[in-house]
Amino acid sequence: MNPAPDDISNSSQFQRYIPLAVWLVVIVTLVVIPFRILSYGFLPGGDARRHVAKAFTDKPYTEILLLRSDYTMDHSPGWEKILRHLHVTGGLDLNALVVVSVAGLMLCVFCAPLPWLRRPEAWLAALLAQMIAIPEVMMRLTQARPLLFTEGVLIAILFAWSKSEVQKPSYLKLTLTTLGIALSVWIHGAWYLWAVPLFGFCLARAWRTAMWLAVCIAVGVFAGALFTGKPIEFLRQALLIVADISREHLPSWLLVGELRPSYGEFDTLALIALVALWRRLQNRPQTALLDQPVFCLIIACWILGFKADRFWADWGVPAVLVWLTFQFEELLPTLTFAGAPRRLVLCGLIAIPLFLHATNDLDRRYTINLSEPFLDASDPALAGWFPDKNGIFYSAQMELFYNTFYKNPQGDWRYILGLEPALMPDEDLHTFRTIQFNKFALPAYEPWIKKMQPADRLALYSAGEPNLPALQWHNAVGNLWIGRKPR
């Protein structure tokens, strides 16, 4: 029995809305994820806290930290100017700025590829596959660091420039690419790292595309530096920071996490191999892997990751997400056509596990901060135990700076350790490294204790009162003790 004409018409009309429904599912999933995570009371650690706190003071870092003389300006000025503007002009408080930081920067990554996708569910599939291979991906996406803006720009550029060799890009494409890089440099800094994706295009022998992209990077870097108001100093200082970090020649276990070597991420390599094998079994024409700029970027970042994990985690993993999306977008039409109801079902089968995987509180990853102790200068029980005006807060734990500055952004003291240990004055850096080498043994703190003034304080973590009788001690909160010179 043949279907009635009305049934055919209704079915055809329904199928027209399937692509729109898929887009709606994708966008809702991506937008809801960060807000579900924030609903736990989540507060990212590390740099996110000092960026938010910096919005509540107009003091430069040279008045917040005791730094080397060659550090004269913040290396991520744009992001902190944005947060400062939102606080001063928009009236956003501390919690609101945390929401803006977490949700805004995560969505920069989540939404970056959407303008280039015909099958947006392919992006969800890439995110889900990568999160299963590397569960820690979500912790990076929730760090609320301006690096995520750069990752978003990188993802957009890889989608816009990688599919075919560019003969002569449009003025709009050149302008948007240059603007994206300029904003990345101003907001995040680390302008020299834009050489990494450019190397991927050169490795794939996409010479013409690489040439145009190099022009965009050069102009974008200079424009981003101009936004800071001190372009030469900004560009110079970024290289000085790299030089300061490199000059120590430390064993890897003493470095901050992003500068330590990568383990090689075997699970991601296995994922790439499985998808490549799946593509080959489809018997569909495809470009050779080493002729694909994104794949070459993955190889380059994987190799560089054995020197410093930041190459893999910050540049390689976004490239993997882009490459997986390319593969899935070509494979999905073989499973279902654009207007088929089954496409909507398939999209739901990707979106639901992605949402659950990204938002579950596995190992308290989103609630561990709820039990963190913070020092609050307004607490009467701590009166006299914070540094006096112009005093120095000595500590060998960087989280003391992040947490205490977050809670007390207008404190009138300075911290000995924050941002990056290599930026400390040489004498204090030597003491800090000695403390690390000796596994935070109490005698290693003696050089700091000897140079402490009555206005200074020493903070360290201990199960009981530290056996350093040269100082008076007070158990501030949890296992955190604060010491001061006897009065």
Side-chain angles (χ1 to χ4, degrees):
M1 181 175 178
N2 294 326
D6 288 344
D7 293 336
I8 296 175
S9 176
N10 291 335
S11 175
S12 176
Q13 192 170 13
F14 175 72
Q15 290 178 359
R16 287 167 48 193
Y17 292 102
I18 293 296
L20 180 62
V22 168
W23 272 101
L24 184 62
V25 169
V26 169
I27 292 173
V28 169
T29 301
L30 295 177
V31 170
V32 170
I33 285 174
F35 290 100
R36 172 57 181 154
I37 292 170
L38 285 164
S39 72
Y40 290 108
F42 173 68
L43 172 65
D47 285 324
R49 298 183 183 185
R50 59 110 172 171
H51 287 310
V52 169
K54 187 68 165 57
F56 293 82
T57 176
D58 57 1
K59 292 193 299 184
Y61 278 107
T62 51
E63 296 178 16
I64 297 170
L65 292 153
L66 196 65
L67 297 167
R68 297 171 59 85
S69 59
D70 54 9
Y71 188 91
T72 58
M73 61 184 295
D74 181 33
H75 56 275
S76 301
W79 181 238
E80 293 185 345
K81 281 194 175 182
I82 292 171
L83 294 179
R84 175 75 172 164
H85 178 76
L86 291 174
H87 167 62
V88 174
T89 305
L92 273 64
D93 62 10
L94 203 66
N95 292 330
L97 290 182
V98 170
V99 171
V100 169
S101 299
V102 174
L105 289 172
M106 194 186 304
L107 289 174
C108 284
V109 176
F110 278 172
C111 298
L114 298 184
W116 290 273
L117 296 179
R118 302 185 310 278
R119 294 284 186 119
E121 63 270 35
W123 173 241
L124 295 190
L127 287 170
L128 177 60
Q130 185 65 93
M131 287 179 191
I132 292 173
I134 315 178
E136 296 80 10
V137 164
M138 273 311 299
M139 294 311 298
R140 293 194 65 81
L141 292 175
T142 57
Q143 283 183 328
R145 295 171 58 193
L147 159 70
L148 293 173
F149 182 85
T150 293
E151 289 192 3
V153 174
L154 171 68
I155 289 170
I157 288 175
L158 292 179
F159 270 97
W161 291 78
S162 297
K163 289 192 174 181
S164 60
E165 177 76 326
V166 176
Q167 297 300 318
K168 187 178 180 182
S170 68
Y171 288 114
L172 179 61
K173 186 174 184 177
L174 291 171
T175 301
L176 292 178
T177 301
T178 302
L179 179 61
I181 293 170
L183 289 174
S184 162
V185 170
W186 179 60
I187 289 174
H188 171 222
W191 56 270
Y192 46 85
L193 289 176
W194 277 105
V196 176
L198 183 62
F199 178 69
F201 282 85
C202 293
L203 201 59
R205 295 168 296 174
W207 303 114
R208 192 177 295 275
T209 302
M211 180 193 70
W212 285 109
L213 191 56
V215 172
C216 292
I217 291 173
V219 176
V221 166
F222 185 69
L226 282 177
F227 294 164
T228 69
K230 299 178 180 178
I232 303 303
E233 178 60 22
F234 174 77
L235 297 174
R236 184 187 71 87
Q237 185 176 266
L239 296 178
L240 283 175
I241 292 174
V242 175
D244 287 340
I245 294 173
S246 303
R247 67 189 171 90
E248 288 193 87
H249 303 292
L250 294 170
S252 61
W253 63 275
L254 287 181
L255 299 172
V256 295
E258 64 182 17
L259 298 181
R260 295 177 185 175
S262 165
Y263 287 101
E265 295 289 3
F266 176 79
D267 290 344
T268 299
L269 297 183
L271 172 63
I272 293 173
L274 285 173
V275 173
L277 179 61
W278 183 23
R279 282 296 311 274
R280 184 172 291 276
L281 293 176
Q282 299 295 313
N283 292 320
R284 294 169 63 89
Q286 56 181 313
T287 307
L289 290 177
L290 293 181
D291 290 334
Q292 300 175 23
V294 176
F295 192 82
C296 289
L297 177 59
I298 293 171
I299 294 175
C301 292
W302 182 76
I303 294 172
L304 291 172
F306 290 110
K307 175 62 179 176
D309 183 58
R310 71 181 306 178
F311 290 108
W312 174 248
D314 299 350
W315 301 86
V317 171
V320 171
L321 288 172
V322 173
W323 185 83
L324 289 174
T325 305
F326 284 156
Q327 312 313 309
F328 293 154
E329 192 169 45
E330 291 188 18
L331 290 168
L332 283 173
T334 67
L335 302 177
T336 176
F337 70 91
R342 191 170 70 169
R343 180 188 174 194
L344 185 58
V345 174
L346 179 60
C347 181
L349 292 176
I350 298 171
I352 292 173
L354 172 63
F355 175 79
L356 295 176
H357 188 294
T359 61
N360 69 63
D361 191 28
L362 182 67
D363 297 326
R364 295 191 64 198
R365 57 181 174 175
Y366 301 137
T367 57
I368 190 68
N369 62 275
L370 298 179
S371 57
E372 278 188 278
F374 289 86
L375 295 175
D376 188 348
S378 64
D379 185 353
L382 295 178
W385 290 101
F386 274 82
D388 297 331
K389 186 175 182 179
N390 299 322
I392 298 172
F393 224 145
Y394 288 92
S395 175
Q397 304 287 350
M398 200 174 295
E399 57 263 32
L400 180 97
F401 163 66
Y402 290 133
N403 294 354
T404 308
F405 182 49
Y406 173 78
K407 200 70 175 177
N408 310 273
Q410 297 179 344
D412 55 3
W413 57 82
R414 290 192 292 173
Y415 302 86
I416 193 65
L417 175 63
L419 302 184
E420 162 57 45
L423 300 178
M424 301 169 70
D426 286 336
E427 182 182 356
D428 296 299
L429 178 60
H430 176 73
T431 301
F432 172 68
R433 294 306 187 195
T434 301
I435 293 170
Q436 286 185 301
F437 269 113
N438 288 278
K439 300 181 179 179
F440 299 89
L442 295 180
Y445 288 88
E446 290 292 347
W448 276 348
I449 294 175
K450 290 179 181 178
K451 68 184 292 188
M452 283 175 61
Q453 300 298 313
D456 302 335
R457 301 291 184 269
L458 172 63
L460 51 82
Y461 294 87
S462 175
E465 180 173 330
N467 186 22
L468 292 169
L471 300 179
Q472 294 176 334
W473 290 98
H474 177 71
N475 185 203
V477 59
N479 62 347
L480 178 61
W481 292 78
I482 299 177
R484 69 185 181 192
K485 290 283 188 178
R487 292 184 173 179

